[in-house]
């Protein structure tokens, strides 16, 4: 694949979300490009470059997005807030989408859409001097049409029981993502299992009624069902840092009696 194929990557990811089985990715918290290359070789459908719970810088995120694009792997960037200028730079680098943490208000979702769509659908600033536009080799009209046909994939994380009405909150998204850890903490740890499951079910029902993909995070594939993610379309499993830590603990313990 060549630079500028981000629209193909977005189509592939959207197709995977409706394939009847989970599209599986992982969080990337380490700056090494080897991580995304290994994720692609392992068969992950996507990675989420994490700018919320990591020490990655914007420069790191751009480099990881570019390397994922070169590997033919969809890379989304998780952001803690809607920073339109930063989001535009991630998309220009070749990000397949944006994942927004702690979505609680409709105006947040509206701001996310506006930051990722060109006029008249949004307020994203246009430049052709970037990787996604093949550094000006793509005609402006063709690039705008490709962005309209295959816009960035938008993921909103529902992580608290105190949100705007869920159907309104997630209507403009591609994926309604259950932040189960934060939701459990919000409901009071140790959360009543019945209360937590009811909250999870509300998120699932909202996603299904809005005809959106439903997703979330699980530490392993096997743990997904117990977290209410057994029918997830978009499943983020662990992270590179978590997997490295587990592997190191295993290796360190092999020689112990």
């Amino acid at each position: 694949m060549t630079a500028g194929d981000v629209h193909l990557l977005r189509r592939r990811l959207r197709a995977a979300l409706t394939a009847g089985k989970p599209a599986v990715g992982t969080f990337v918290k380490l700056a090494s490009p080897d991580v995304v290359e290994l994720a692609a070789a392992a068969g992950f459908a996507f990675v989420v470059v994490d700018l919320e719970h990591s020490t990655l810088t914007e420069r790191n995120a751009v480099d990881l997005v570019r390397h994922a694009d070169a590997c033919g792997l969809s890379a989304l960037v998780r952001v803690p807030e809607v920073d339109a200028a930063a989001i535009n730079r991630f998309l220009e680098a070749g990000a397949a989408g944006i994942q927004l943490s702690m979505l609680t208000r409709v105006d947040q979702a509206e701001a996310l859409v506006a930051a990722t769509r060109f006029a008249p659908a949004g307020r994203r600033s246009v430049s052709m001097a970037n990787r996604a536009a093949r550094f000006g080799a793509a005609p402006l009209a063709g690039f705008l049409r490709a962005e309209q046909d295959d816009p960035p994939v938008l993921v909103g994380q529902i992580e608290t029981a105190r949100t705007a009405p869920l159907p309104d909150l997630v209507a403009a998204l591609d994926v309604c993502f259950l932040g189960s850890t934060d939701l459990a903490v919000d409901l009071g740890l140790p959360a009543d299992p019945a209360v937590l499951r009811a909250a999870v079910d509300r998120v699932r029902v909202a996603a299904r009624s809005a005809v959106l993909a439903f997703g979330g995070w699980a530490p392993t594939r096997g743990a997904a069902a117990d977290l209410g993610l057994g029918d997830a379309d978009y499943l983020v499993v662990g992270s590179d840092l978590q997997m490295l830590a587990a592997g190191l603990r295993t290796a360190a313990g092999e020689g112990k009696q």
Side-chain angles (χ1 to χ4, degrees), residues 44-139:
F44 281 106
F46 63 93
V47 292
V48 182
V49 178
D50 188 1
L51 288 183
E52 183 187 23
H53 294 298
S54 77
T55 59
L56 294 175
T57 65
E58 181 180 322
R59 177 71 260 173
N60 296 149
V62 167
D63 289 344
L64 290 166
V65 163
R66 288 169 63 99
H67 198 70
D69 176 63
C71 292
L73 179 66
S74 295
L76 296 89
V77 181
R78 176 160 76 166
V79 296
E81 60 185 358
V82 178
D83 179 335
I87 286 172
N88 201 13
R89 290 190 289 271
F90 298 141
L91 297 177
E92 289 179 347
I98 301 294
Q99 183 159 325
L100 177 63
S101 300
M102 285 290 179
L103 179 61
T104 61
R105 306 187 315 273
V106 172
D107 66 289
Q108 288 176 290
E110 292 173 342
L112 179 61
V113 171
T116 58
R117 286 0 182 211
F118 295 120
R123 296 189 297 275
R124 182 182 167 193
S125 180
V126 181
S127 171
M128 300 299 288
N130 58 73
R131 183 181 179 85
R134 291 187 289 146
F135 300 102

Side-chain angles (χ1 to χ4, degrees), residues 186-212:
D186 186 61
L187 292 170
L189 280 178
D192 183 322
V195 173
L196 179 58
R197 180 49 66 100
V200 170
D201 288 343
R202 283 195 295 273
V203 177
R204 180 191 299 103
V205 168
R208 299 305 185 206
S209 63
V211 197
L212 303 178

